[in-house]
Amino acid sequence: MTTSSSGLLALVRVRVLFAVCLVLTLSACGFHLRGSNGSFMLPFATMNIGLPDTSPLAIDLKRYIRAIGSTEIVDTREAADATLEVLADPEKTRTKSILSLNSNGRVREYQLGYSIQFRVVDKAGNVLLGLTTIALNRPIAFNESQVLAKETEEAQLYRDMRNDLVQQIMRRLAAIKPVLPAMSVAPVAPVTPVPVPVPAVRQ
């Protein structure tokens, strides 16, 4: 192999290593690729999120939508082209159940659950996205001698699931095809044509 070839190969390896490091760094910051062009374009100019302003999910979702820049978050559903109606708030319904026990009958693993039920409607009441359920689960090992560390790990797993939930919600919102507004005027009834009499021809 020539010196120039060796140099080119080394340059390629450096670029590949840099790309891998960049992806790992972004992942560690909670960033995830959001589609083929890196973003989800929503088909609405304005949107209302049916969650309390203090909801961690609402905060993350609104931040995500505002970062895209094409959709404005509004405070009322009357002013929104689309409203995300949340029927089961994941912060109120998240679960923690025993997944497995050790030989002494003590907890060895828990399973954390984080789920949401929602639908999307427009200002005319048309359902743009029917009832949708997204359920996420994560196992977490338990150690009585590391309670504080496990509590920190548990909180991080819930944050990871919330970030995953935002991504999945955004994918579903981006796939919506808005319907036309409901007709405000009733259509005119069809009219039966009346034959026009032909005058008789005098001989």
Side-chain angles (χ1 to χ4, degrees):
M1 180 180 293
T2 64
T3 303
S4 59
S5 298
S6 299
L8 180 60
L9 182 59
L11 180 59
V12 171
R13 286 176 178 171
V14 169
R15 288 181 177 177
V16 171
L17 181 60
F18 175 76
V20 171
C21 292
L22 180 61
V23 170
L24 292 176
T25 301
L26 291 174
S27 297
C29 296
F31 179 90
H32 297 279
L33 296 180
R34 297 167 291 177
S36 59
N37 64 346
S39 65
F40 292 121
M41 300 304 293
L42 302 185
F44 337 105
T46 56
M47 188 168 191
N48 173 252
I49 306 298
L51 283 168
D53 291 338
T54 56
S55 164
L57 178 62
I59 293 171
D60 287 353
L61 196 55
K62 289 177 181 179
R63 183 186 298 121
Y64 200 112
I65 294 173
R66 288 182 177 124
I68 296 173
S70 60
T71 300
E72 179 186 358
I73 299 295
V74 294
D75 295 330
T76 63
R77 57 188 303 156
E78 290 78 16
D81 294 320
T83 295
L84 180 75
E85 293 184 341
V86 178
L87 307 179
D89 186 343
E91 296 299 328
K92 296 179 180 179
T93 59
R94 66 182 188 177
T95 60
K96 180 180 179 180
S97 56
I98 296 174
L99 187 59
S100 64
L101 304 173
N102 60 22
S103 57
N104 297 321
R106 296 179 181 274
V107 176
R108 182 174 61 186
E109 280 184 305
Y110 284 105
Q111 178 164 278
L112 308 179
Y114 196 76
S115 62
I116 187 174
Q117 279 191 337
F118 68 95
R119 69 173 188 165
V120 180
V121 298
D122 66 11
K123 61 177 61 179
N126 299 304
V127 176
L128 304 178
L129 179 64
L131 182 62
T132 301
T133 300
I134 303 175
L136 305 174
N137 295 287
R138 297 287 189 277
I140 180 172
F142 180 72
N143 190 326
E144 292 179 346
S145 63
Q146 300 177 347
V147 175
L148 292 179
K150 288 301 175 182
E151 287 180 352
T152 300
E153 182 183 356
E154 179 179 318
Q156 181 59 49
L157 285 173
Y158 276 121
R159 283 194 295 270
D160 289 345
M161 284 191 285
R162 186 167 66 244
N163 184 65
D164 191 358
L165 203 62
V166 170
Q167 299 285 328
Q168 294 199 39
I169 291 173
M170 291 298 297
R171 274 194 286 272
R172 286 162 172 78
L173 293 179
I176 291 175
K177 294 179 173 58
V179 299
L180 294 175
M183 294 182 64
S184 57
V185 179
V188 178
V191 177
T192 303
V194 177
V196 178
V198 178
V201 179
R202 295 181 180 180
Q203 298 295 333

